[in-house]
């Protein structure tokens, strides 16, 4: 059975879960997602650990300034889509 068929079967089964048990089901499904994320994130992050240690201060400072300028440019061009909470 391929992944698409399995996903369809899971969704079909979910339709038959009583409403008073949906919260428990959500917690179970969400725990699978959290477990998957926690298993992958550290490995991806750790392969870069310490990679900035040998960078000269001049290059690092220039890089940080460049990031700041790019962020300012990017955010100044964004449309204001945030909700007003006044």
């Amino acid at each position: 059975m391929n992944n698409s068929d399995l996903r369809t079967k899971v969704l079909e089964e979910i339709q038959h879960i009583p409403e008073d048990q949906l919260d428990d089901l959500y917690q179970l499904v969400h725990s699978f997602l959290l477990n998957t994320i926690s298993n992958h994130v550290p490995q991806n992050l750790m392969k870069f650990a310490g990679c900035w240690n040998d960078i000269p201060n001049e290059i690092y400072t220039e890089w940080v300034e460049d990031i700041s300028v790019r962020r300012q440019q990017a955010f100044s061009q964004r449309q204001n889509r945030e909700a007003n909470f006044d």
Side-chain angles (χ1 to χ4, degrees):
M1 189 175 306
N2 65 33
N3 287 342
S4 180
D5 291 339
L6 283 172
R7 187 176 305 272
T8 301
K9 285 189 168 275
V10 167
L11 292 173
E12 287 172 0
E13 292 293 326
I14 288 173
Q15 297 301 320
H16 300 290
I17 302 293
E19 294 217 8
D20 63 333
Q21 294 180 344
L22 288 177
D23 187 52
D24 293 336
L25 177 63
Y26 171 78
Q27 297 299 326
L28 175 67
V29 171
H30 191 65
S31 70
F32 282 105
L33 177 63
L34 292 177
N35 188 32
T36 301
I37 291 170
S38 68
N39 285 338
H40 290 92
V41 171
Q43 294 171 357
N44 290 339
L45 290 176
M46 292 309 293
K47 70 181 179 182
F48 295 108
C51 68
W52 301 107
N53 285 345
D54 296 331
I55 192 169
N57 283 338
E58 297 165 357
I59 293 174
Y60 177 76
T61 303
E62 183 180 319
W63 178 68
V64 169
E65 289 172 359
D66 184 52
I67 289 175
S68 178
V69 168
R70 289 175 185 245
R71 285 182 180 169
Q72 288 173 1
Q73 289 171 347
F75 285 108
S76 70
Q77 295 172 4
R78 280 178 57 181
Q79 294 179 1
N80 189 4
R81 295 185 184 154
E82 282 75 25
N84 254 342
F85 293 109
D86 295 339

